């Protein structure tokens, strides 16, 4: 038992503690970083503001939360035993199952003893004389560490729009990315959901089944493709486990590191007849589904005209599924498909045929204000018991910049990235020595099977730190030239595709005032080749001193 005196002593001890490495975040990235660094004999402290491990999967507990990459892929591969032991139950794992998996990993590899939960990292400043980072936390005071690692996750800083009157509402307001742990019973209640991105698409059908009345406030229509979730066939699981390494290797060769079991075609959509295209799209829609719908032809991500054929197929599906033509029209997107992440749904469009669900188009005038009883648009007032903000995240940079990070010359990272994140390999930025961002901006991250991309990035960073130690190098820092050309390279790769052609969170367009820069690197295999080449040649693009 710890007495209050012991606790005070503990605080004092930790306030003077030096670590080799301080890591922010105890999700997939932070846990694996801890595991790997510990293996190298380093002292590590991992901080997380949550009261449990899991990162994204700790916070996103909203009804229906589910990964859009298949469970047998969206899992660690570093331990063959772990891979064999863990039994997934569904094709796409739901949030509770992923969280149990992460908790299991933390227990199995004895990770918790180096993790300080309920502790937010507030600030970090590089001390040039000591060549150490001074890190300020809310619960553990100040600590210092040779290396400062941000494993903060690309989608972990919730965005709530600044709508007039938010503090007036007497009901409950919840952001999907900060869903409470307690079960919420929506029966008999009037619910308003703001937003129609992936989180909304997943929770709307489930809330609709419980609520008295559900009103969805849509600013932009999005493409939803059925996820095709189902119980995982035990025979399929056994077959994959019989050659998990081969399965992973085949995935590694794909652009995003997943989906290699499904056929891809070296054909243009524009060379096929209408009938052939219909058949192909129908097959992708009903048997593959989700993000891989766009694997139907090889130019859907590059050619607008080809892309529109796949988009039109989904538009027709919406018209077929939704009974009321006016509602169907409001739900129909007219942009390219896939340049905003496709939403993976289950009964999403069908939900709008329910009598207790109403879609409100706010594309023209938005929500004017939140009132005591609900909210008001320019035409109407809505009484609500709950307002659910499914309004997304300040993606890729938000969680990093929530910390006041100051580099070698005292410059803040926020200031440095004021025109957009300038980051090399998604791993680091000039002026901020001995600081690493795991799957930071400029890494393929969100365009890939993130767990495996995290593993690759963690291994690369850990090998880099080992190299520094073995060679008695005390500082590593990205050069300004390397990061500038990397940002250009990342954007050039994207320019040949549809990705920068929409207002998505990939380009920061969902956050008012955020500079428009395409942030993820497109193409996992070439990214990995570049990383290997850079390391093999003594860390090109970094200054080692
Ligand atoms: P998203 O995909 O960013 O969706 C956010 C939604 O919220 C989207 O429909 C937005 O409309 C809407 N939004 C944002 N601000 C407002 C305001 N001010 N008024 C009305 N509606 C607004 O976030 P998700 O959480 O769904 O998904 C994020 C990722 O997590 C997802 O891609 C998966 O990878 C997992 P907009 O389109 O901007 O008009």
């Amino acid at each position: 038992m710890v007495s209050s005196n012991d606790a005070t002593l503990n605080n004092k001890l930790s306030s003077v503690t030096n670590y080799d490495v301080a890591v922010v975040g105890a999700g997939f990235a932070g846990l694996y970083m801890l595991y790997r660094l510990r293996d190298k004999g380093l002292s590590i402290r991992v901080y997380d503001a949550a009261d449990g491990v899991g990162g994204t999967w700790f916070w996103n507990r909203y009804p229906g939360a589910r990964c859009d990459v298949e469970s047998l892929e969206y899992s660690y591969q570093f331990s063959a035993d772990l891979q064999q032991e863990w039994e997934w139950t569904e094709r796409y794992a739901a949030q509770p199952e992923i969280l149990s998996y992460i908790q299991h990993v933390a227990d199995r590899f004895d990770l918790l003893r180096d993790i300080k939960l309920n502790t937010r990292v507030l600030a970090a400043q590089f001390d040039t004389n000591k060549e150490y980072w001074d890190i300020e936390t809310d619960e553990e005071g100040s600590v210092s560490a040779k290396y400062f690692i941000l494993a903060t996750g690309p989608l972990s800083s919730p965005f709530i729009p600044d709508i007039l009157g938010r503090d007036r509402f007497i009901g409950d307001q919840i952001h999907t990315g900060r869903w409470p742990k307690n079960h919420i019973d929506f029966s008999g209640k009037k619910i308003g959901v703001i937003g129609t991105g992936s989180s909304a698409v997943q929770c709307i059908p489930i809330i609709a089944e419980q609520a008295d009345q559900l009103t969805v406030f849509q600013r932009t229509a999005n493409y939803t493709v059925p996820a095709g979730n189902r119980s995982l066939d035990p025979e399929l699981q056994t077959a994959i486990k019989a050659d998990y390494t081969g399965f992973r290797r085949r995935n590694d060769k794909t652009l995003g590191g997943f989906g290699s079991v499904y056929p891809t075609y070296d054909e243009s959509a524009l060379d096929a007849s209408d009938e052939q295209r219909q058949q192909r799209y129908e097959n992708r829609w009903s048997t593959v589904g989700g993000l891989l719908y766009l694997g139907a032809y090889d130019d859907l991500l590059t050619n607008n005209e080809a892309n529109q054929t796949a988009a039109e197929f989904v538009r027709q599906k919406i018209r077929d599924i939704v009974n009321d033509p006016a509602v169907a029209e409001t739900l129909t997107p007219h942009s390219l498909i896939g340049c905003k992440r496709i939403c993976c749904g289950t009964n999403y469009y069908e939900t709008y045929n329910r009598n207790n669900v109403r879609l409100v188009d706010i594309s023209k005038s938005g929500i004017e204000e939140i009132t005591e009883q609900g909210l008001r648009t320019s035409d109407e007032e809505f009484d609500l018991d709950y307002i659910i903000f499914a309004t997304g995240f300040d993606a890729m940079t938000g969680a990093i910049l929530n910390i006041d990070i100051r580099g070698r010359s005292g410059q803040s990272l926020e200031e440095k990235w004021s025109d957009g994140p300038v980051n090399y390999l998604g791993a680091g930025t000039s002026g901020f020595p001995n600081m690493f961002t795991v799957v930071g901006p400029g890494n393929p991250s969100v365009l890939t099977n993130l767990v495996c991309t995290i593993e690759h990035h963690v291994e690369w960073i850990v090998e880099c730190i080992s190299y520094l130690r073995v060679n008695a190098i005390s500082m590593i820092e990205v050069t300004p030239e390397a990061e500038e050309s990397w940002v250009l390279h990342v954007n050039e790769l994207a320019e040949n595709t549809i990705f920068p052609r929409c207002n998505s969170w990939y380009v920061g367009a969902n956050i008012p005032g955020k500079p428009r820069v395409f942030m993820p690197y497109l193409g996992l295999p070439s990214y990995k080749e570049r990383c290997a080449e850079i390391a093999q040649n003594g860390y090109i693009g970094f200054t080692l001193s």
Side-chain angles (χ1 to χ4, degrees):
M1 214 174 123
V2 181
S3 72
S4 57
N5 278 349
D6 291 338
T8 316
L9 182 63
N10 246 340
N11 279 341
K12 282 205 176 119
L13 283 176
S14 54
S15 72
V16 292
T17 302
N18 284 353
Y19 298 101
D20 291 322
V21 189
V23 178
V24 191
F28 273 111
L31 293 185
Y32 188 50
M33 183 58 83
L34 169 57
Y35 173 79
R36 277 282 162 204
L37 288 171
R38 199 192 265 169
D39 194 43
K40 298 279 182 193
L42 280 83
S43 64
I44 307 124
R45 190 70 156 164
V46 178
Y47 295 99
D48 201 297
D51 67 11
V53 297
T56 287
W57 300 104
F58 174 92
W59 294 109
N60 283 268
R61 295 163 189 261
Y62 61 84
R66 191 178 287 288
C67 189
D68 55 10
V69 174
E70 296 190 30
S71 53
L72 286 161
E73 301 174 319
Y74 190 82
S75 47
Y76 288 122
Q77 57 182 318
F78 70 86
S79 159
D81 289 345
L82 172 69
Q83 266 191 162
Q84 291 299 326
E85 285 161 18
W86 187 265
E87 292 285 319
W88 294 103
T89 65
E90 292 182 273
R91 181 181 177 204
Y92 294 98
Q95 175 270 337
E97 191 169 20
I98 303 177
L99 186 58
S100 309
Y101 170 77
I102 300 176
Q103 287 165 341
H104 169 75
V105 170
D107 288 338
R108 194 186 189 290
F109 297 98
D110 187 24
L111 300 177
L112 292 173
R113 66 185 154 92
D114 289 320
I115 302 174
K116 180 84 171 81
L117 296 168
N118 294 307
T119 305
R120 184 172 287 283
V121 171
L122 304 169
Q125 158 90 59
F126 186 72
D127 183 321
T128 315
N129 296 326
K130 286 192 298 178
E131 295 180 348
Y132 258 72
W133 281 91
D134 291 324
I135 296 152
E136 188 65 32
T137 72
D138 59 356
E139 283 295 315
E140 209 177 40
S142 307
V143 295
S144 64
K146 181 79 184 160
Y147 301 101
F148 179 50
I149 299 188
L150 291 146
T152 42
L155 290 160
S156 47
S157 178
F159 167 68
I160 297 189
D162 189 14
I163 303 173
L164 186 72
R166 263 198 62 214
D167 46 358
R168 255 185 255 155
F169 183 54
I170 55 171
D172 286 316
Q173 306 180 46
I174 314 174
H175 188 283
T176 48
R178 285 291 177 273
W179 201 267
K181 282 186 185 167
N182 56 304
H183 170 73
I184 303 176
D185 183 3
F186 289 116
S187 43
K189 304 285 187 213
K190 293 187 285 296
I191 319 296
V193 172
I194 304 176
T196 49
S198 298
S199 305
V201 162
Q202 290 185 332
C203 70
I204 282 168
I206 295 177
I207 295 173
E209 282 171 11
Q210 302 166 16
D212 180 38
Q213 174 65 40
L214 169 63
T215 309
V216 178
F217 298 91
Q218 175 188 280
R219 187 168 68 179
T220 312
N222 258 333
Y223 291 95
T224 298
V225 172
N229 186 42
R230 52 182 172 260
S231 298
L232 199 53
D233 175 0
E235 281 180 25
L236 173 72
Q237 184 149 201
T238 307
I240 286 177
K241 286 184 174 178
D243 179 24
Y244 227 137
T245 311
F247 175 70
R248 298 290 197 180
R249 206 170 297 133
R250 288 187 292 280
N251 274 341
D252 281 347
K253 294 196 177 117
T254 66
L255 201 66
F258 64 103
S260 66
V261 293
Y262 302 104
T264 49
Y265 307 91
D266 192 13
E267 298 163 15
S268 163
L270 302 176
D271 290 339
S273 68
D274 281 350
E275 201 186 338
Q276 285 166 335
R277 274 197 300 260
Q278 279 298 111
Q279 266 180 15
R280 178 74 58 82
Y281 291 142
E282 184 58 50
N283 178 272
R284 289 308 271 202
W285 173 274
S286 53
T287 65
V288 181
L291 300 178
L292 295 171
Y293 170 71
L294 289 183
Y297 290 99
D298 82 347
D299 54 353
L300 298 181
L301 291 177
T302 49
N303 181 316
N304 284 8
E305 197 187 339
N307 182 284
Q308 282 296 353
T309 64
E312 182 49 33
F313 179 88
V314 179
R315 292 195 278 259
Q316 187 54 48
K317 281 286 183 195
I318 299 170
R319 293 190 278 268
D320 294 345
I321 295 169
V322 179
N323 298 337
D324 181 332
V327 176
E329 179 51 34
T330 305
L331 285 168
T332 301
H334 295 281
S335 58
L336 297 167
I337 180 170
C339 55
K340 267 186 174 176
R341 196 177 183 94
I342 287 184
C343 303
C344 301
T346 302
N347 296 328
Y348 178 64
Y349 293 122
E350 290 81 349
T351 296
Y352 291 94
N353 293 332
R354 296 178 64 103
N355 291 330
N356 67 334
V357 176
R358 178 170 167 205
L359 181 68
V360 175
D361 180 359
I362 52 164
S363 59
K364 297 205 172 62
S365 52
I367 292 167
E368 294 214 329
E369 65 173 331
I370 293 182
T371 62
E372 254 184 52
Q373 303 298 333
L375 60 79
R376 198 164 58 72
T377 64
S378 55
D379 311 319
E380 207 175 329
E381 202 151 335
F382 296 83
D383 273 3
L384 300 168
D385 298 306
Y386 285 89
I387 297 178
I388 295 174
F389 288 91
T391 43
F393 300 88
D394 184 353
M396 309 198 65
T397 55
I400 298 174
L401 296 179
N402 284 343
I403 303 170
D404 180 10
I405 302 174
R406 287 169 191 270
R408 201 164 23 82
S409 59
Q411 186 192 27
S412 79
L413 188 58
E414 189 172 23
E415 199 182 314
K416 173 162 183 198
W417 284 3
S418 58
D419 292 331
V422 190
N423 214 33
Y424 181 45
L425 300 176
T429 188
S430 74
F432 296 78
N434 294 358
M435 180 182 99
F436 295 95
T437 51
V438 187
V439 300
N443 177 281
S445 67
V446 291
L447 297 177
T448 68
N449 169 10
L450 198 51
V451 181
C452 295
T453 305
I454 282 171
E455 282 184 308
H456 165 266
H457 211 209
V458 165
E459 286 162 15
W460 190 89
I461 292 169
V462 170
E463 282 318 307
C464 175
I465 292 176
S466 283
Y467 177 89
L468 302 176
R469 288 165 64 85
V470 167
N471 293 288
I473 296 163
S474 71
M475 282 217 304
I476 182 164
E477 186 180 335
V478 172
T479 67
E481 299 75 31
E483 64 187 11
E484 269 162 39
S485 60
W486 189 257
V487 173
L488 282 177
H489 176 53
V490 169
N491 279 274
E492 267 163 25
L493 288 175
E495 262 158 37
N496 299 323
T497 73
I498 58 163
F499 284 108
R501 300 177 199 162
C502 293
N503 291 329
S504 68
W505 54 260
Y506 295 139
V507 294
N510 63 324
I511 303 296
K514 189 166 174 172
R516 192 181 178 103
V517 178
F518 187 76
M519 294 179 278
Y521 184 101
L522 199 62
L524 189 59
S526 57
Y527 172 81
K528 286 184 177 174
E529 275 168 30
R530 292 292 291 270
C531 286
E533 202 179 281
I534 286 162
Q536 276 153 20
N537 290 291
Y539 294 94
I540 303 167
F542 292 89
T543 305
L544 311 180
S545 55

Coordinates of all heavy atoms in Angstrom, one line a residue, residues 170-226:
I170 N -28.3 22.7 -22.1 CA -28.5 22.0 -20.8 C -28.4 20.5 -20.9 O -28.3 19.8 -20.0 CB -29.8 22.5 -20.1 CG1 -31.0 22.2 -21.0 CG2 -29.7 23.9 -19.6 CD1 -32.3 22.4 -20.3
G171 N -28.5 20.0 -22.2 CA -28.4 18.5 -22.4 C -26.9 18.1 -22.4 O -26.0 18.9 -21.9
D172 N -26.6 16.9 -22.9 CA -25.2 16.5 -22.9 C -24.6 16.7 -24.3 O -25.3 16.4 -25.3 CB -25.2 15.0 -22.6 CG -25.4 14.7 -21.1 OD1 -24.8 15.5 -20.3 OD2 -26.2 13.8 -20.8
Q173 N -23.3 17.1 -24.3 CA -22.6 17.2 -25.6 C -21.4 16.2 -25.5 O -20.7 16.2 -24.5 CB -22.0 18.6 -25.7 CG -23.0 19.7 -25.5 CD -22.3 21.1 -25.7 OE1 -21.5 21.3 -26.6 NE2 -22.6 22.0 -24.8
I174 N -21.3 15.5 -26.6 CA -20.2 14.4 -26.6 C -19.5 14.5 -27.9 O -20.2 14.5 -29.0 CB -20.8 13.0 -26.4 CG1 -21.8 12.9 -25.2 CG2 -19.6 12.0 -26.2 CD1 -22.4 11.6 -25.1
H175 N -18.2 14.5 -27.9 CA -17.5 14.3 -29.2 C -17.2 12.8 -29.3 O -16.8 12.1 -28.3 CB -16.1 15.0 -29.1 CG -15.4 15.0 -30.4 ND1 -14.7 13.9 -30.9 CD2 -15.3 16.0 -31.4 CE1 -14.2 14.2 -32.1 NE2 -14.5 15.4 -32.4
T176 N -17.4 12.3 -30.5 CA -17.2 10.8 -30.7 C -15.8 10.3 -30.2 O -15.6 9.2 -29.8 CB -17.4 10.4 -32.2 OG1 -16.6 11.3 -33.0 CG2 -18.8 10.5 -32.6
G177 N -14.8 11.2 -30.4 CA -13.4 10.9 -30.0 C -13.1 11.0 -28.5 O -12.0 10.9 -28.1
R178 N -14.1 11.4 -27.8 CA -14.0 11.5 -26.3 C -15.2 10.9 -25.6 O -15.8 11.4 -24.7 CB -13.8 13.0 -25.9 CG -12.5 13.6 -26.1 CD -11.4 13.0 -25.3 NE -10.1 13.5 -25.6 CZ -9.3 13.0 -26.5 NH1 -9.6 11.9 -27.2 NH2 -8.1 13.5 -26.7
W179 N -15.6 9.7 -26.1 CA -16.8 9.1 -25.7 C -16.6 8.6 -24.2 O -15.6 7.9 -23.9 CB -17.2 7.9 -26.6 CG -18.6 7.6 -26.6 CD1 -19.2 6.6 -25.8 CD2 -19.7 8.2 -27.3 NE1 -20.5 6.6 -26.0 CE2 -20.9 7.5 -26.9 CE3 -19.8 9.2 -28.2 CZ2 -22.1 7.9 -27.4 CZ3 -21.0 9.5 -28.8 CH2 -22.1 8.9 -28.4
P180 N -17.6 8.8 -23.4 CA -17.5 8.4 -22.0 C -17.5 6.8 -21.9 O -18.0 6.2 -22.7 CB -18.7 9.0 -21.2 CG -19.6 9.4 -22.3 CD -18.9 9.5 -23.6
K181 N -16.9 6.4 -20.7 CA -16.9 4.9 -20.5 C -18.2 4.3 -20.2 O -18.5 3.2 -20.5 CB -15.9 4.6 -19.4 CG -14.5 4.7 -19.8 CD -13.6 4.2 -18.6 CE -12.2 4.4 -18.9 NZ -11.3 4.2 -17.8
N182 N -19.1 5.1 -19.5 CA -20.4 4.5 -19.1 C -21.3 4.3 -20.3 O -21.3 5.1 -21.2 CB -21.0 5.4 -18.0 CG -21.2 6.8 -18.5 OD1 -20.2 7.5 -19.0 ND2 -22.4 7.3 -18.5
H183 N -22.1 3.3 -20.2 CA -23.1 3.0 -21.2 C -24.1 4.2 -21.3 O -24.6 4.6 -20.2 CB -23.8 1.7 -21.0 CG -24.9 1.4 -21.9 ND1 -24.7 1.1 -23.2 CD2 -26.2 1.5 -21.7 CE1 -25.9 1.0 -23.8 NE2 -26.8 1.2 -22.9
I184 N -24.4 4.6 -22.5 CA -25.5 5.6 -22.6 C -26.7 5.0 -23.2 O -26.6 4.4 -24.3 CB -25.0 6.8 -23.4 CG1 -23.7 7.4 -22.8 CG2 -26.1 7.9 -23.5 CD1 -23.1 8.6 -23.7
D185 N -27.8 5.2 -22.5 CA -29.1 4.6 -23.1 C -29.8 5.8 -23.8 O -30.2 6.7 -23.1 CB -29.9 4.1 -21.9 CG -31.2 3.4 -22.4 OD1 -31.4 3.4 -23.6 OD2 -32.0 3.0 -21.5
F186 N -29.9 5.6 -25.1 CA -30.5 6.7 -25.9 C -32.0 6.5 -26.0 O -32.7 7.3 -26.7 CB -29.9 6.8 -27.3 CG -28.5 7.3 -27.3 CD1 -27.4 6.5 -27.7 CD2 -28.2 8.6 -26.9 CE1 -26.1 7.0 -27.7 CE2 -26.9 9.1 -26.8 CZ -25.8 8.3 -27.2
S187 N -32.5 5.5 -25.4 CA -34.0 5.2 -25.6 C -34.8 6.4 -25.1 O -34.5 6.9 -24.0 CB -34.4 3.9 -25.1 OG -33.8 3.6 -23.9
G188 N -35.8 6.7 -25.8 CA -36.7 7.8 -25.5 C -36.1 9.2 -25.6 O -36.7 10.2 -25.2
K189 N -34.9 9.3 -26.2 CA -34.2 10.6 -26.2 C -34.2 11.2 -27.7 O -34.3 10.4 -28.6 CB -32.7 10.4 -25.8 CG -32.6 9.8 -24.4 CD -32.9 10.8 -23.3 CE -32.6 10.3 -21.9 NZ -33.5 10.7 -20.9
K190 N -33.9 12.5 -27.7 CA -33.8 13.2 -29.0 C -32.3 13.5 -29.2 O -31.7 14.2 -28.3 CB -34.6 14.5 -29.0 CG -36.1 14.2 -28.9 CD -36.9 15.5 -29.1 CE -36.9 16.3 -27.8 NZ -37.6 15.8 -26.6
I191 N -31.8 13.0 -30.2 CA -30.3 13.1 -30.4 C -30.0 13.9 -31.7 O -30.7 13.7 -32.7 CB -29.7 11.7 -30.6 CG1 -30.3 10.6 -29.7 CG2 -28.1 11.7 -30.5 CD1 -30.0 10.8 -28.3
G192 N -29.1 14.7 -31.6 CA -28.6 15.4 -32.8 C -27.1 15.0 -33.1 O -26.3 15.0 -32.2
V193 N -26.8 14.6 -34.3 CA -25.5 14.2 -34.7 C -25.0 15.3 -35.7 O -25.6 15.5 -36.7 CB -25.3 12.8 -35.3 CG1 -23.9 12.6 -35.8 CG2 -25.7 11.7 -34.2
I194 N -23.9 15.9 -35.4 CA -23.3 16.9 -36.3 C -22.1 16.2 -37.0 O -21.2 15.7 -36.3 CB -22.8 18.2 -35.6 CG1 -24.0 18.8 -34.8 CG2 -22.2 19.2 -36.6 CD1 -23.6 20.0 -33.9
G195 N -22.2 16.2 -38.3 CA -21.1 15.5 -39.1 C -21.6 14.3 -39.7 O -22.5 13.6 -39.2
T196 N -21.0 14.0 -40.9 CA -21.3 12.7 -41.6 C -20.0 12.1 -42.2 O -20.0 11.6 -43.3 CB -22.3 13.0 -42.7 OG1 -21.9 14.1 -43.5 CG2 -23.7 13.2 -42.2
G197 N -18.9 12.1 -41.4 CA -17.7 11.4 -41.7 C -17.8 10.0 -41.2 O -18.8 9.5 -40.8
S198 N -16.6 9.3 -41.1 CA -16.6 7.9 -40.7 C -17.2 7.7 -39.4 O -17.9 6.7 -39.2 CB -15.1 7.4 -40.7 OG -14.5 7.5 -42.0
S199 N -16.9 8.5 -38.4 CA -17.4 8.3 -37.0 C -18.9 8.4 -37.0 O -19.6 7.5 -36.4 CB -16.8 9.3 -36.1 OG -15.4 9.3 -36.1
A200 N -19.5 9.4 -37.7 CA -20.9 9.5 -37.8 C -21.5 8.3 -38.5 O -22.6 7.8 -38.0 CB -21.3 10.8 -38.5
V201 N -20.9 7.9 -39.6 CA -21.5 6.8 -40.4 C -21.6 5.6 -39.6 O -22.5 4.8 -39.7 CB -20.6 6.7 -41.7 CG1 -20.9 5.3 -42.3 CG2 -21.0 7.8 -42.6
Q202 N -20.6 5.4 -38.7 CA -20.6 4.2 -37.8 C -21.6 4.3 -36.7 O -22.3 3.3 -36.3 CB -19.2 3.9 -37.2 CG -18.2 3.5 -38.3 CD -16.9 3.1 -37.8 OE1 -16.5 3.6 -36.7 NE2 -16.2 2.2 -38.4
C203 N -21.8 5.5 -36.1 CA -22.6 5.5 -34.9 C -24.1 5.8 -35.2 O -25.0 5.4 -34.5 CB -22.1 6.5 -33.8 SG -22.2 8.2 -34.3
I204 N -24.4 6.4 -36.4 CA -25.8 6.8 -36.7 C -26.7 5.6 -36.7 O -27.8 5.6 -36.1 CB -25.8 7.7 -38.0 CG1 -25.3 9.1 -37.7 CG2 -27.2 7.6 -38.7 CD1 -25.0 10.0 -38.9
P205 N -26.4 4.5 -37.4 CA -27.3 3.4 -37.5 C -27.6 2.8 -36.1 O -28.7 2.3 -35.9 CB -26.6 2.4 -38.4 CG -25.6 3.2 -39.2 CD -25.2 4.3 -38.3
I206 N -26.6 2.8 -35.2 CA -26.8 2.2 -33.9 C -27.7 3.1 -33.0 O -28.6 2.7 -32.4 CB -25.5 1.8 -33.3 CG1 -24.9 0.7 -34.2 CG2 -25.6 1.3 -31.9 CD1 -23.6 0.3 -33.8
I207 N -27.3 4.4 -33.0 CA -28.1 5.3 -32.2 C -29.5 5.4 -32.7 O -30.5 5.4 -31.9 CB -27.4 6.7 -32.2 CG1 -26.0 6.6 -31.6 CG2 -28.3 7.8 -31.5 CD1 -25.2 7.9 -31.6
A208 N -29.7 5.3 -34.0 CA -31.1 5.3 -34.6 C -31.9 4.2 -34.1 O -33.1 4.4 -33.9 CB -31.0 5.3 -36.1
E209 N -31.3 3.1 -33.8 CA -32.1 1.9 -33.3 C -32.6 2.2 -31.9 O -33.6 1.5 -31.5 CB -31.2 0.6 -33.3 CG -31.1 0.1 -34.7 CD -30.1 -1.1 -34.7 OE1 -29.6 -1.5 -33.7 OE2 -29.7 -1.4 -35.9
Q210 N -32.0 3.0 -31.1 CA -32.3 3.3 -29.7 C -33.1 4.5 -29.6 O -34.1 4.6 -28.7 CB -31.1 3.4 -28.9 CG -30.2 2.2 -28.9 CD -28.8 2.5 -28.3 OE1 -28.7 3.5 -27.6 NE2 -27.8 1.7 -28.5
A211 N -32.8 5.6 -30.3 CA -33.3 6.9 -30.0 C -34.8 7.0 -30.3 O -35.3 6.3 -31.2 CB -32.5 7.9 -30.8
D212 N -35.4 8.0 -29.7 CA -36.8 8.3 -30.0 C -36.7 9.1 -31.4 O -37.5 8.7 -32.3 CB -37.3 9.2 -28.9 CG -38.7 9.7 -29.2 OD1 -39.5 8.8 -29.7 OD2 -39.1 10.8 -28.9
Q213 N -35.8 10.0 -31.5 CA -35.7 10.8 -32.7 C -34.2 11.1 -32.9 O -33.5 11.6 -32.0 CB -36.5 12.1 -32.6 CG -36.3 13.1 -33.7 CD -36.9 12.5 -35.0 OE1 -37.9 11.9 -35.1 NE2 -36.1 12.7 -36.1
L214 N -33.7 10.8 -34.1 CA -32.3 11.2 -34.4 C -32.3 12.2 -35.6 O -32.9 11.9 -36.6 CB -31.5 9.9 -34.8 CG -30.1 10.1 -35.4 CD1 -29.2 10.8 -34.4 CD2 -29.5 8.8 -35.8
T215 N -31.6 13.3 -35.4 CA -31.5 14.3 -36.4 C -30.0 14.4 -36.8 O -29.2 14.6 -35.9 CB -32.0 15.7 -36.0 OG1 -33.3 15.4 -35.4 CG2 -32.1 16.6 -37.1
V216 N -29.7 14.2 -38.1 CA -28.4 14.3 -38.6 C -28.2 15.6 -39.3 O -28.9 15.9 -40.2 CB -28.0 13.1 -39.5 CG1 -26.6 13.2 -40.0 CG2 -28.3 11.8 -38.8
F217 N -27.2 16.4 -38.9 CA -26.9 17.6 -39.5 C -25.7 17.4 -40.4 O -24.6 17.2 -40.0 CB -26.6 18.7 -38.4 CG -27.8 18.9 -37.5 CD1 -27.9 18.2 -36.4 CD2 -28.8 19.8 -37.9 CE1 -29.0 18.4 -35.5 CE2 -29.9 20.0 -37.1 CZ -30.0 19.3 -35.9
Q218 N -26.0 17.5 -41.7 CA -24.9 17.2 -42.7 C -24.5 18.5 -43.5 O -25.3 19.2 -44.0 CB -25.5 16.2 -43.7 CG -24.5 15.9 -44.9 CD -25.1 15.1 -46.0 OE1 -25.2 13.9 -45.9 NE2 -25.6 15.7 -47.1
R219 N -23.2 18.7 -43.4 CA -22.7 19.9 -44.2 C -22.2 19.4 -45.6 O -22.5 20.1 -46.6 CB -21.5 20.5 -43.4 CG -21.0 21.8 -44.1 CD -20.1 22.6 -43.2 NE -18.8 21.9 -43.0 CZ -17.8 22.3 -42.2 NH1 -18.0 23.5 -41.6 NH2 -16.7 21.7 -42.1
T220 N -21.6 18.3 -45.6 CA -21.1 17.7 -46.9 C -21.4 16.3 -47.0 O -21.1 15.5 -46.1 CB -19.6 17.9 -47.1 OG1 -19.2 19.2 -46.7 CG2 -19.1 17.6 -48.5
A221 N -22.0 15.9 -48.1 CA -22.3 14.4 -48.3 C -21.0 13.7 -48.5 O -20.1 14.2 -49.2 CB -23.3 14.3 -49.5
N222 N -21.0 12.5 -48.0 CA -19.8 11.7 -48.1 C -20.1 10.3 -48.8 O -21.2 9.9 -48.7 CB -19.2 11.4 -46.7 CG -18.1 12.2 -46.4 OD1 -17.3 12.7 -47.2 ND2 -17.9 12.4 -45.1
Y223 N -19.1 9.7 -49.3 CA -19.3 8.4 -49.9 C -19.2 7.3 -48.8 O -18.1 7.2 -48.1 CB -18.3 8.1 -51.0 CG -18.5 8.9 -52.2 CD1 -17.7 10.1 -52.4 CD2 -19.4 8.5 -53.2 CE1 -17.9 10.9 -53.5 CE2 -19.5 9.3 -54.4 CZ -18.8 10.5 -54.5 OH -19.0 11.2 -55.6
T224 N -20.2 6.5 -48.7 CA -20.1 5.3 -47.8 C -20.3 4.1 -48.6 O -21.2 3.9 -49.4 CB -21.2 5.4 -46.7 OG1 -21.0 6.6 -45.9 CG2 -21.2 4.2 -45.8
V225 N -19.3 3.2 -48.3 CA -19.4 1.8 -49.0 C -19.6 0.8 -47.9 O -19.0 1.0 -46.8 CB -18.1 1.6 -49.8 CG1 -18.0 0.2 -50.3 CG2 -17.9 2.6 -50.9
P226 N -20.4 -0.2 -48.1 CA -20.6 -1.2 -47.0 C -19.3 -1.8 -46.6 O -18.5 -2.2 -47.5 CB -21.5 -2.2 -47.6 CG -22.1 -1.6 -48.8 CD -21.2 -0.5 -49.3

